[in-house]
């Protein structure tokens, strides 16, 4: 391959990934903007429209988040090549996330006393949130939209661990991790229902599994690894079971609505996962999806 071909391939790769990222970013914005209007707007004639857009057809926020997870899983492991430095990787991730996050946290802290009825956040809440992992300090996120960042940090830690063990490009290790993480939540739910156990039900592992799937799909669709392809197919089949059970289709799952895993109803939640995964696989497979508007939105959301 000559240099021109290499540049073309590289540009095409960035274009379709940025287009995907643009779709994800716009979807999350739709959910936050129209979801807010759905709860707060006083124009009654528009309420059916807001309701249909945010909860009647698709959970746009969950769709966008799953796309973001798949994209991160697809891209991040490639930052750790055999001769890469873990320190360089961690520093680049730190500056990718924390400065913008700190700015957002400070703006929330300053503006909240004027926007809320509870008098604003305490200094302890501010300091805990600046770490991006406030739960470790028994504090809640100052904004619920930050929950995905903890999942990203966990994935970075997993990437470093797999890199140290020389398993980051190992399709069997990545596939087993993805599938294992995918089934933890539904198995806990079924065990509680059928065996009357009290296993804590959380959805972190399920979300994390989609980041591992992004890496697995890169190995399968880009590197043409047949083992990775087999694991990817198994994951997709098992994810149908996992999302269905976790959303409360078979048994009621109190934690699903309590934690916001199901924001509206389980059909829109299941559809969000199915659509995000289908769109991601389709675009990654053909690698020729480009749209200037979406590319621009993707570039902005990334930087």
């Amino acid at each position: 391959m000559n240099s021109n071909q290499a540049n073309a391939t590289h540009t095409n790769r960035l274009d379709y990934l940025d287009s995907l990222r643009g779709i994800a970013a716009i979807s999350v914005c739709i959910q936050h903007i129209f979801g807010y209007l759905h709860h707060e707007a006083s124009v009654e004639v528009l309420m059916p429209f807001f309701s249909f857009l945010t909860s009647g057809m698709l959970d746009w926020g969950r769709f966008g988040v799953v796309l973001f997870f798949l994209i991160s899983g697809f891209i991040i492991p490639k930052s750790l090549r055999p001769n890469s430095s873990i320190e360089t990787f961690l520093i680049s991730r730190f500056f990718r996330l924390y400065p913008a996050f700190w700015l957002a946290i400070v703006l929330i802290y300053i503006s909240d006393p004027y926007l809320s009825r509870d008098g604003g956040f305490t200094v302890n809440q501010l300091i805990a949130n600046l770490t991006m992992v406030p739960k470790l300090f028994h504090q809640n996120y100052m904004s619920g939209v930050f929950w995905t960042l903890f999942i990203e940090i966990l994935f970075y830690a997993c990437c470093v661990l797999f890199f140290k063990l020389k398993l980051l490009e190992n399709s069997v290790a990545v596939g087993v991790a993805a599938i294992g993480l995918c089934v933890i939540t539904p198995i806990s739910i079924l065990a509680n229902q059928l065996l009357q156990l009290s296993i804590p039900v959380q959805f972190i592992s399920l979300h994390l599994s989609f980041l591992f799937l992004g890496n697995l799909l890169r190995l399968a669709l880009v590197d043409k690894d047949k083992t990775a392809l087999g694991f990817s197919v198994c994951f997709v089949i098992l994810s149908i079971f996992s999302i269905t059970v976790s959303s409360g289709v078979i048994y009621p799952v109190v934690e699903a609505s309590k934690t916001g895993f199901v924001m509206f109803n389980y059909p829109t939640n299941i559809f969000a996962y199915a659509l995000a995964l289908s769109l991601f696989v389709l675009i990654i497979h053909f690698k020729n999806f480009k749209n200037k508007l979406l590319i621009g939105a993707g570039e902005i959301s990334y930087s």
Side-chain angles (χ1 to χ4, degrees):
M1 179 182 292
N2 61 38
S3 60
N4 290 334
Q5 290 173 316
N7 289 335
T9 301
H10 180 68
T11 301
N12 187 50
R13 181 184 68 84
L14 290 176
D15 283 346
Y16 72 75
L17 287 177
D18 278 333
S19 294
L20 268 175
R21 192 181 285 110
I23 293 172
I26 291 171
S27 299
V28 171
C29 287
I30 287 173
Q31 188 62 61
H32 286 306
I33 293 170
F34 288 99
Y36 173 80
L37 293 174
H38 170 64
H39 292 295
E40 302 294 337
S42 58
V43 184
E44 293 295 328
V45 70
L46 294 176
M47 291 303 291
F49 170 72
F50 294 150
S51 179
F52 173 74
L53 189 61
T54 58
S55 62
M57 56 184 295
L58 171 71
D59 185 336
W60 289 98
R62 185 51 51 91
F63 165 73
V65 164
V66 175
L67 262 186
F68 272 128
F69 284 160
L70 290 168
I71 294 166
S72 291
F74 187 90
I75 294 173
I76 298 303
K78 288 299 289 182
S79 302
L80 284 167
R81 302 179 186 278
N83 59 346
S84 296
S85 162
I86 291 178
E87 291 77 10
T88 301
F89 170 77
L90 292 176
I91 290 171
S92 69
R93 292 298 97 199
F94 177 88
F95 282 102
R96 174 63 63 188
L97 292 180
Y98 274 92
F101 175 74
W102 284 340
L103 175 61
I105 287 293
V106 171
L107 289 174
I108 291 172
Y109 180 76
I110 293 172
S111 63
D112 192 68
Y114 304 99
L115 301 175
S116 68
R117 300 184 181 93
D118 56 10
F121 295 103
T122 66
V123 174
N124 287 340
Q125 288 175 307
L126 172 65
I127 294 173
N129 271 266
L130 289 174
T131 67
M132 205 179 283
V133 285
K135 294 290 186 181
L136 295 180
F137 304 94
H138 309 290
Q139 299 287 349
N140 293 324
Y141 281 106
M142 289 167 60
S143 172
V145 303
F146 292 136
W147 69 270
T148 60
L149 295 175
F150 179 65
I151 309 297
E152 290 267 350
I153 289 177
L154 281 179
F155 184 63
Y156 296 162
C158 291
C159 285
V160 169
L161 176 61
F162 274 56
F163 177 75
K164 291 285 287 184
L165 297 174
K166 302 186 187 310
L167 296 175
L168 199 54
E169 300 290 318
N170 186 307
S171 55
V172 174
V174 175
V176 169
I179 289 174
L181 289 166
C182 185
V183 299
I184 289 175
T185 301
I187 287 176
S188 300
I189 292 169
L190 293 177
N192 288 343
Q193 291 289 339
L194 300 176
L195 303 177
Q196 303 301 307
L197 301 179
S198 300
I199 302 172
V201 175
Q202 50 76 36
F203 304 92
I204 294 174
S205 60
L206 185 56
H207 294 135
L208 189 58
S209 72
F210 279 84
L211 285 139
F212 274 90
L213 177 62
N215 189 21
L216 196 62
L217 287 171
R218 176 182 60 80
L219 294 171
L221 300 178
V222 177
D223 297 347
K224 306 301 180 183
D225 186 318
K226 292 183 179 180
T227 302
L229 180 61
F231 272 106
S232 298
V233 173
C234 290
F235 182 99
V236 171
I237 294 171
L238 284 171
S239 69
I240 298 171
F241 156 77
S242 294
I243 301 301
T244 300
V245 172
S246 300
S247 297
V249 175
I250 299 176
Y251 296 107
V253 181
V254 175
E255 295 87 350
S257 56
K258 189 176 180 180
T259 63
F261 179 75
V262 176
M263 291 292 292
F264 305 105
N265 52 65
Y266 62 73
T268 58
N269 197 56
I270 294 171
F271 185 39
Y273 278 92
L275 183 60
L277 181 52
S278 300
L279 181 64
F280 183 82
V281 170
L282 187 67
I283 290 180
I284 295 301
H285 176 69
F286 289 103
K287 303 180 179 65
N288 61 357
F289 179 71
K290 292 188 290 185
N291 179 279
K292 288 184 178 180
L293 175 63
L294 294 177
I295 289 171
E299 290 175 345
I300 292 171
S301 71
Y302 182 67
S303 58

